[in-house]
Amino acid sequence: MADGSAWLIRTKLYAPPLRAQAVARPRLLARLQAGLAGPLTLICAPAGYGKTSLMAAGAAAGSAPGSLRCAWLSLDEGDNDSGRFLAYLVAALQTAGAPAALGELLRGPQPTQLPVLLPQIINVLAAVNEEPVNEELLLVLDDYHVIHAAAVHAAVAALLEHAPPHLHLAILTRSDPPLPLPRLRARGQLLELRAADLRFTHAETRLFLHETMGLELADSLAVALAERTEGWIAGLQLAALRLAQQTPQQTTPTGEQADDAAAFVQHFAGTQRYILDYLLEEVLERQPPAVQQFLLLTSPLARLCGPLCDAVMRSAAQHDKRVAAAAGGENGGALLAALERANLFLTPLDDERRWYRYHQLFADLLRARLHEQFPHLASRLQTAAASWLEAEGLILEAVDQAMAAGEPEWAARLVEQNTAELLARGELAALLGWISALPDEVRRPRPRLCIQQAYALAFAGRLDEAAAALALAERVQTGDPAQTGAVTAVHAMLAVMRGRDAEAVTAAEQALALLPAASLWDRAAACWALGYAQRELGRLAEAQSCFEMQIDLARRLGNVWTLVTGLADLAFVLRTQGQLREARAVLEEALLAAAGQGAAGLGYLARMEAALAAVLYEQNEVAAAHKLLAAAVAHCRQWPNPNHIAFAYVLLARVQRAQGDLAGAAVSIGEAYYVRSSSSLTRVLRCLVEVELVRLYLACRTPAANGQMSGALTGAAEALLAQWRHESATAPGTALDECAELIALTLARAALAAGQPQQALPWVTRTGAGALAVGRMGIAIEALILTALAGKDSPAVEQAAWEQALQLAAERGYVRLFLDEGPTLQQSLAHHLAQIGDSAARPFALRLLAAFPAEPLSRAALPARPAPGAELPEPLTARELEVLHLLAQGLTNQEIARRLIVAPGTVKAHTAAIYRKLDAANRTSAVACARRLGIL
């Protein structure tokens, strides 16, 4: 595939070509042009009223350069899948020159939660409006009546509510959509065209019959026909086709001879449904036999092209002598072109006139007639279509046709053979849908199909269903070690996802011993399970080796999904080891590889995006991390693995907390905690959710935060703290794994927040030593930072912790570990710098202080010192506090400037501010005042 949107049916994105002899409708085109001043144009009328043709003409009329760009989307039943609807929506907007950033949001066919991604689409479109661009953008949703999914209706309503001013929406439908039409009417923001507006006038009827249909009909008969049909365009077209086939004379029902056309018009009466049935019957019967059969026998096809029609017709001829005698050797492509020229309800779908479709109502009636005349052929026609589609590599359509043909064995074979490719393309929902639609009697004797189903279910986080599918596979004993190894590999995956890491290691090692070298997919799955379990168990070197094996297998397999997941998990190990730069390089390579293999918009990329966001966050690139996480959350909903969803929301909560958006962070951690409560998560991810919940709880307890968390989340956080304190008290000597380390650090933070540093110190010192020993550098640095904060009454402990933390962090590029501790750390670090003099870590520490928010630190945030004095009316900033400590050491302004790497004039400005705030005349009195206040 050239890109991640190659699976899209591009012909759905084209407005139908205008007919050369189409009737001009300036009165309606003028109304359409005026409607662009509002957000919505609604064209609602029954079938056959020219809705699509009118809008196509309106879009073409307004498409002069610099005036209007048109994005067109022809909807069908499949677009009730929210992911597909969104993919097509983005693709349609891109055809109209929308920003390339839209393609980065979504290009794949996976289902998603529209409310997650739609705001991003609106923001991208709104950003364009902020540029010096005068073009309006028209988005046309044709055949909207096929949409019944509430999620899609809600998304369209949201688009209407928040669309930028230059975006206009046009909805073409047979019935009113469930959108806020009354409110738009009341605001004067809705243009409506109904059947009464669309009906051909007498003048338009004459033009249509004379110019478009080529009939020489008296004006009086044209007017009479317009009145009989009430301007219904489809009825007029059908009537014109019938009139074109008239013989010179016709006997009326009363037995009188009359002019054929006049008699036809005179006796043309009845309801629309009756008229339609009558005219279709008349038109079909007047067609040559070969054309009649071609129309009937190709009617099961949703989309037609010459070779596909030829394949279907050959199959029909092989199974019915009537078809063989009448086939006439017509070329399908030529016949389709002839039918289009004859206005026989055929719509071209591309500019090359290769793909077509029948008018939906026409196709329905043709299919009904097919079942009447050739009841035994319908399934054979679908079988022939499935064969052709399979040969052309159109697997999605081939499976649908095989299922419709009543060939579940065939559909099962296609699914079984193409699961890896379908997963790589992000077709998780389609795969699950097809497999669940297959009868049990088809699945039971096909162990490989059951294994593939288990893979898909596992990736979707439906672990119990995956285990049931494996049980079906295990009932068929073939003695094939490849089958046994594949089953065992999936069992290893399920064990990892349930947090049973030791069990996963055993199963994965057994699978690798059983699987032959050629079973690349299954071996890669076993390597992933083994690597993930080893990482969870703290065996980082072993985990790294497993993921490197997975990456090698993925490259040999040529499967982008296996490749990018291996790279993402390798980066996770590197990040745990503190190798942030290396992890970032691996993840950026993974994203590049995904884009190069057409997978840049697929849902499973959420794991990479979230992992890269975690690295960027540690390096203090918070805005970039937030942007990546927004995409990751959306992609998680397309590939709904609970571990991925929880991880993305935990990180998003952390970023929002860092940005001061505690309310947003509470929403995000609430989403993560819901996943934790309702799904099976790996042990570490479950712990990450709980730890972030408690950290947010502690942040929300500060006076400035003023709450922000719901009572339910607050209660959950307090319950976790009580549980952890109890467990730590009852098992004080237990060795700490990664989860225990994270919990210990959280308990230490809670103790510090409660003003109990001595209680925090044992937790952090023990955690730091253990994490360093096994190479979990991020946790080790975090523990050292908290040790420095907890050891403020033990200067030796404090200084040693600071020196080691700064050294390790400077080497690896950690920043947020310091900034996330807030003003307390800022003050403590400033004190440390003022006391240590020259140090190798000093430049890094100065960069850290510069990265804190610019607001002055409050006096309340100062660490407690002996003999504290009164509060300062205007507190000292971090830099002023550092200068004050250097003044106290007797350094001159020039020496302080050299120490701080600033200009002497800057030092003079700081000292002047210090004197003013301390109400001191010189440095001696300033230092004395600071000592009285407990600042020094």
Side-chain angles (χ1 to χ4, degrees):
M1 292 183 290
D3 58 50
S5 64
W7 66 274
L8 296 172
I9 300 171
R10 308 303 299 183
T11 51
K12 285 164 59 75
L13 309 177
Y14 295 111
L18 299 178
R19 295 183 181 275
Q21 301 299 323
V23 175
R25 312 194 75 181
R27 62 184 177 89
L28 295 180
L29 294 179
R31 291 184 65 185
L32 286 178
Q33 185 64 32
L36 292 178
L40 177 62
T41 293
L42 177 68
I43 305 182
C44 182
Y49 273 90
K51 301 181 290 293
T52 300
S53 298
L54 175 64
M55 180 51 67
S63 61
S67 58
L68 178 70
R69 294 171 291 132
C70 179
W72 191 286
L73 174 55
S74 296
L75 299 165
D76 55 38
E77 282 287 339
D79 296 319
N80 283 287
D81 180 301
S82 59
R84 292 186 181 235
F85 173 83
L86 191 53
Y88 274 114
L89 177 65
V90 169
L93 291 168
Q94 287 184 295
T95 65
L102 285 181
E104 299 171 5
L105 297 179
L106 178 65
R107 295 182 185 177
Q110 316 84 349
T112 189
Q113 292 295 317
L114 285 171
V116 176
L117 196 53
L118 189 65
Q120 299 176 56
I121 295 175
I122 294 172
N123 289 339
V124 171
L125 296 174
V128 172
N129 196 40
E130 296 169 2
E131 300 171 1
V133 177
N134 296 321
E135 288 182 315
E136 303 290 308
L137 175 59
L138 172 65
L139 170 62
V140 180
L141 301 180
D142 196 7
D143 288 334
Y144 193 83
H145 52 270
V146 303
I147 298 298
H148 50 75
V152 176
H153 290 314
V156 174
L159 182 61
L160 279 170
E161 183 69 20
H162 304 291
H166 72 296
L167 175 64
H168 312 278
L169 183 62
I171 292 179
L172 284 52
T173 178
R174 294 181 186 176
S175 57
D176 276 1
L179 299 174
L181 301 181
R183 187 173 69 214
L184 292 171
R185 286 192 196 101
R187 295 176 179 174
Q189 297 177 329
L190 173 63
L191 169 67
E192 295 179 83
L193 294 178
R194 303 277 178 179
D197 305 300
L198 299 176
R199 292 180 182 125
F200 271 170
T201 64
H202 291 175
E204 288 169 339
T205 299
R206 286 193 293 269
L207 285 173
F208 175 74
L209 295 172
H210 296 166
E211 308 264 346
T212 304
M213 301 303 297
L215 290 176
E216 294 298 329
L217 200 64
D219 284 351
S220 60
L221 291 179
V223 170
L225 193 56
E227 291 177 348
R228 297 276 185 171
T229 61
E230 297 184 0
W232 178 41
I233 300 171
L236 285 168
Q237 184 177 14
L238 290 167
L241 289 170
R242 176 65 178 84
L243 284 169
Q245 299 163 351
Q246 286 281 28
T247 55
Q249 293 291 322
Q250 171 180 312
T251 302
T252 69
T254 61
E256 299 175 355
Q257 295 293 319
D259 175 81
D260 289 343
F264 177 81
V265 173
Q266 180 183 352
H267 296 286
F268 187 78
T271 65
Q272 284 192 1
R273 183 73 251 178
Y274 169 77
I275 294 169
L276 185 59
D277 289 343
Y278 170 76
L279 289 176
L280 281 176
E281 181 177 353
E282 287 290 306
V283 170
L284 282 174
E285 289 180 356
R286 297 288 179 166
Q287 299 300 321
V291 174
Q292 291 187 44
Q293 289 188 346
F294 181 87
L295 290 169
L296 295 181
L297 297 171
T298 57
S299 63
L301 304 176
R303 291 169 180 80
L304 309 92
C305 68
L308 176 56
C309 291
D310 290 339
V312 168
M313 293 300 294
R314 283 194 300 270
S315 175
Q318 291 170 3
H319 295 94
D320 194 299
K321 293 181 179 180
R322 292 173 295 170
V323 178
E330 278 279 9
N331 175 272
L335 190 49
L336 288 171
L339 292 175
E340 183 198 355
R341 289 192 298 270
N343 296 309
L344 205 59
F345 296 96
L346 192 71
T347 301
L349 296 176
D350 53 35
D351 294 334
E352 292 78 20
R353 284 343 197 238
R354 182 170 183 264
W355 286 92
Y356 296 84
R357 68 170 176 86
Y358 290 123
H359 184 285
Q360 183 176 336
L361 192 54
F362 187 53
D364 290 342
L365 293 166
L366 288 175
R367 291 174 192 136
R369 184 63 60 84
L370 170 67
H371 286 286
E372 291 174 7
Q373 295 189 7
F374 301 96
H376 58 293
L377 281 185
S379 63
R380 296 187 184 278
L381 298 175
Q382 289 161 329
T383 298
S387 294
W388 188 88
L389 291 164
E390 180 185 2
E392 292 294 312
L394 302 172
I395 301 302
L396 297 177
E397 295 85 349
V399 172
D400 288 339
Q401 286 289 348
M403 295 287 284
E407 295 283 355
E409 292 282 353
W410 186 2
R413 176 181 61 80
L414 288 174
V415 173
E416 189 175 9
Q417 292 175 348
N418 292 279
T419 293
E421 180 187 350
L422 292 171
L423 285 171
R425 288 168 50 185
E427 293 284 1
L428 182 61
L431 185 64
L432 291 171
W434 289 326
I435 294 176
S436 62
L438 292 170
D440 286 347
E441 59 269 19
V442 173
R443 291 187 294 131
R444 286 194 191 100
R446 303 181 77 101
R448 189 65 203 179
L449 179 64
C450 295
I451 293 169
Q452 301 288 32
Q453 181 183 19
Y455 272 123
L457 289 164
F459 296 145
R462 293 157 58 177
L463 306 188
D464 291 340
E465 295 172 70
L470 282 184
L472 283 179
E474 289 174 309
R475 290 175 190 169
V476 181
Q477 299 297 329
T478 64
D480 181 6
Q483 176 185 323
T484 305
V487 169
T488 310
V490 184
H491 275 306
M493 289 178 56
L494 296 179
V496 163
M497 293 174 178
R498 288 190 167 111
R500 301 171 185 169
D501 302 316
E503 177 185 329
V505 169
T506 301
E509 289 175 342
Q510 290 175 351
L512 289 171
L514 287 166
L515 288 165
S519 297
L520 299 179
W521 169 270
D522 297 313
R523 291 187 68 84
C527 284
W528 175 84
L530 182 57
Y532 205 101
Q534 297 282 33
R535 194 200 76 81
E536 298 276 280
L537 292 170
R539 303 164 187 167
L540 300 182
E542 293 88 339
Q544 180 172 343
S545 176
C546 291
F547 292 134
E548 288 170 346
M549 289 171 57
Q550 177 188 344
I551 292 166
D552 177 66
L553 290 166
R555 287 181 170 139
R556 289 159 56 192
L557 182 63
N559 187 292
V560 64
W561 177 82
T562 309
L563 173 63
V564 299
T565 52
L567 289 169
D569 284 310
L570 173 61
F572 207 109
V573 171
L574 295 173
R575 183 169 74 89
T576 302
Q577 294 170 323
Q579 302 180 56
L580 296 184
R581 301 177 186 88
E582 293 82 355
R584 179 171 181 167
V586 168
L587 289 165
E588 288 172 343
E589 175 194 349
L591 284 170
L592 186 63
Q597 297 192 43
L602 301 184
Y604 54 72
L605 299 191
R607 302 182 67 238
M608 282 193 310
E609 292 163 332
L612 180 55
V615 175
L616 294 176
Y617 179 77
E618 295 293 357
Q619 295 175 327
N620 201 31
E621 297 184 30
V622 179
H626 198 169
K627 181 179 179 181
L628 266 177
L629 286 171
V633 166
H635 283 152
C636 279
R637 293 303 181 186
Q638 301 160 22
W639 189 273
N641 185 299
N643 286 287
H644 305 171
I645 297 171
F647 185 51
Y649 272 118
V650 163
L651 291 175
L652 184 57
R654 189 174 303 168
V655 168
Q656 290 167 321
R657 175 163 56 83
Q659 294 173 323
D661 181 12
L662 297 184
V667 171
S668 297
I669 200 60
E671 291 286 340
Y673 195 74
Y674 171 78
V675 176
R676 171 259 190 206
S677 302
S678 59
S679 306
S680 295
L681 297 181
T682 63
R683 286 188 317 109
V684 170
L685 271 174
R686 186 180 182 88
C687 181
L688 286 174
V689 172
E690 295 169 349
V691 164
E692 183 58 34
L693 172 64
V694 173
R695 289 197 66 175
L696 183 61
Y697 162 77
L698 295 174
C700 289
R701 292 182 67 192
T702 62
N706 192 26
Q708 303 289 356
M709 281 182 68
S710 69
L713 289 178
T714 297
E718 291 172 346
L720 285 169
L721 279 171
Q723 174 190 335
W724 293 340
R725 287 173 180 138
H726 174 73
E727 291 172 350
S728 66
T730 56
T734 305
L736 299 183
D737 59 11
E738 185 173 3
C739 291
E741 289 170 350
L742 292 171
I743 290 170
L745 295 181
T746 309
L747 288 172
R749 282 195 178 86
L752 288 171
Q756 300 170 338
Q758 291 304 316
Q759 183 179 343
L761 203 55
W763 279 319
V764 293
T765 52
R766 180 183 175 201
T767 298
L772 274 174
V774 296
R776 286 192 282 266
M777 300 306 300
I779 291 178
I781 296 169
E782 190 174 352
L784 287 166
I785 293 170
L786 294 177
T787 301
L789 295 178
K792 62 184 180 180
D793 293 329
S794 304
V797 172
E798 180 183 16
Q799 296 301 318
W802 269 128
E803 284 300 299
Q804 192 174 9
L806 291 170
Q807 178 187 350
L808 293 174
E811 293 169 356
R812 292 161 176 81
Y814 282 93
V815 177
R816 285 306 317 182
L817 287 179
F818 296 86
L819 303 186
D820 284 349
E821 301 303 330
T824 300
L825 182 140
Q826 186 180 7
Q827 287 281 11
S828 178
L829 182 55
H831 281 298
H832 173 69
L833 279 181
Q835 295 166 11
I836 62 173
D838 290 326
S839 166
R842 186 178 190 81
F844 177 67
L846 289 171
R847 289 198 299 273
L848 286 177
L849 285 175
F852 276 98
E855 308 86 47
L857 298 175
S858 67
R859 176 66 180 85
L862 287 170
R865 295 296 180 188
E871 296 287 342
L872 283 177
E874 185 179 357
L876 300 175
T877 67
R879 180 49 64 93
E880 290 165 359
L881 182 63
E882 188 175 7
V883 171
L884 177 61
H885 278 80
L886 296 176
L887 289 174
Q889 295 177 27
L891 274 66
T892 66
N893 283 359
Q894 289 75 15
E895 291 171 332
I896 294 173
R898 285 195 297 272
R899 179 75 64 86
L900 299 181
I901 317 176
V902 297
T906 301
V907 175
K908 289 183 65 177
H910 285 312
T911 56
I914 292 169
Y915 298 164
R916 176 177 55 81
K917 292 179 180 181
L918 295 177
D919 193 21
N922 52 43
R923 65 171 58 201
T924 302
S925 59
V927 170
C929 179
R931 294 192 189 282
R932 286 197 307 272
L933 293 172
I935 298 173
L936 292 175

